[in-house]
Amino acid sequence: MSDYDGGTDYGHVETGENHEALDQLHQVNASEADHNSQFGVYEADHASAENTSFDQGHHVEYSNPDGTHYEESDYTSYDHSAAESDHVFAAEGSESSHTSEYSELEALQARLDSTFASATELHTDGGPAIAAG
């Protein structure tokens, strides 16, 4: 406010508009990944050997006083050899993988509009007050 000579006060008059905006942005990005593997191995060895040897003899001899003579011989020989070997190998396994992604976007936008008017009074010496509006 200003004071000038002559006793007159001049006021201030202002009108206008206010425009306000509120922008809020919230963003989330996330990802997840996992991997699983499981493997197993089984192995077994077996070996065996067998040896068999069998010998048997039989001998009979007979002499008669009249001069006859009888003789018998049996001989049995048996040999057996065997070898056995086994090998077992087994493997099993499983594997899995998982991946996921997540995105979220939240936006808030608000617009605030307002108008205003303000004024001060003008006073002159001796005259009525004039109000600006």
Side-chain angles (χ1 to χ4, degrees), residues 39-87:
F39 292 96
V41 175
Y42 172 77
E43 187 170 6
D45 288 320
H46 171 260
S48 65
E50 178 185 339
N51 288 318
T52 303
S53 182
F54 177 73
D55 293 321
Q56 180 180 10
H58 173 76
H59 180 69
V60 175
E61 187 173 342
Y62 174 74
S63 293
N64 201 358
D66 65 355
T68 58
H69 182 69
Y70 174 75
E71 186 176 349
E72 176 185 68
S73 293
D74 286 328
Y75 185 74
T76 303
S77 178
Y78 173 76
D79 289 318
H80 172 74
S81 295
E84 181 180 318
S85 176
D86 295 327
H87 178 77

Side-chain angles (χ1 to χ4, degrees), residues 65-114:
D66 65 355
T68 58
H69 182 69
Y70 174 75
E71 186 176 349
E72 176 185 68
S73 293
D74 286 328
Y75 185 74
T76 303
S77 178
Y78 173 76
D79 289 318
H80 172 74
S81 295
E84 181 180 318
S85 176
D86 295 327
H87 178 77
V88 175
F89 178 80
E92 69 172 328
S94 66
E95 189 170 7
S96 64
S97 180
H98 169 261
T99 302
S100 66
E101 293 185 8
Y102 173 75
S103 293
E104 180 180 283
L105 179 64
E106 292 180 5
L108 172 65
Q109 185 177 32
R111 187 151 181 94
L112 306 170
D113 294 329
S114 63

